[in-house]
Amino acid sequence: MNADNRIRGREPDSQFVELAVEVFAMLADATRVRIILALRDGELPVHQLAEMVHKSPAAVSQHLAKMRLGRIVAARQDGTRVFYRLENEHAQRLVTDAIFQAEHSLGGTPRHHHAESREQE
């Protein structure tokens, strides 16, 4: 067993397994997944996020507060408006991969495989 892999959390008995489960639990909500997708191109204020995910600003604010605690999003205040952005690229990558996995459940060749084959041409 490689000690470096254990430190990075890549072994089944890693200390990071439980923390990874907490990340998945944080992402196990459709509104939060939609928020992450909405923020993939940059920061947005709460009211615009609410419109994009079809939820009330109050509901989106509650989700964002939890996501801030989980260090998935960060906030920046500009006057009376608060803008949110993704803290890093990892949550977006997890969501993208989960959507790709969901496409596989539909059978056939998923759309993302079509895009990959076009890129290789």
Side-chain angles (χ1 to χ4, degrees):
M1 177 178 356
N2 185 335
D4 192 40
N5 281 342
R6 180 178 303 281
I7 292 168
R8 291 189 193 142
R10 295 184 181 160
E11 293 295 324
D13 62 346
S14 164
Q15 64 185 3
F16 295 104
V17 170
E18 284 78 16
L19 293 172
V21 170
E22 289 181 26
V23 170
F24 284 124
M26 178 69 66
L27 299 178
D29 182 279
T31 300
R32 292 184 198 140
V33 168
R34 288 183 175 101
I35 288 170
I36 289 169
L37 291 171
L39 291 173
R40 67 182 170 218
D41 293 326
E43 66 179 20
L44 294 168
V46 173
H47 76 277
Q48 191 171 352
L49 280 168
E51 289 173 11
M52 293 174 80
V53 302
H54 306 291
K55 297 288 181 183
S56 72
V60 169
S61 290
Q62 289 179 355
H63 285 288
L64 288 165
K66 290 178 183 177
M67 294 169 77
R68 279 181 72 183
L69 287 174
R71 296 193 175 153
I72 292 174
V73 298
R76 174 183 67 84
Q77 190 157 354
D78 185 12
T80 60
R81 293 173 44 162
V82 180
F83 291 83
Y84 288 88
R85 68 182 181 283
L86 294 175
E87 184 75 40
N88 56 53
E89 75 281 0
H90 300 296
Q92 179 183 342
R93 190 175 320 148
L94 283 170
V95 167
T96 299
D97 284 343
I99 289 172
F100 287 169
Q101 182 62 38
E103 287 179 354
H104 280 275
S105 70
L106 299 175
T109 304
R111 291 179 312 150
H112 65 274
H113 284 288
H114 292 291
E116 289 171 3
S117 65
R118 283 193 299 267
E119 289 174 3
Q120 293 174 358
E121 292 177 355

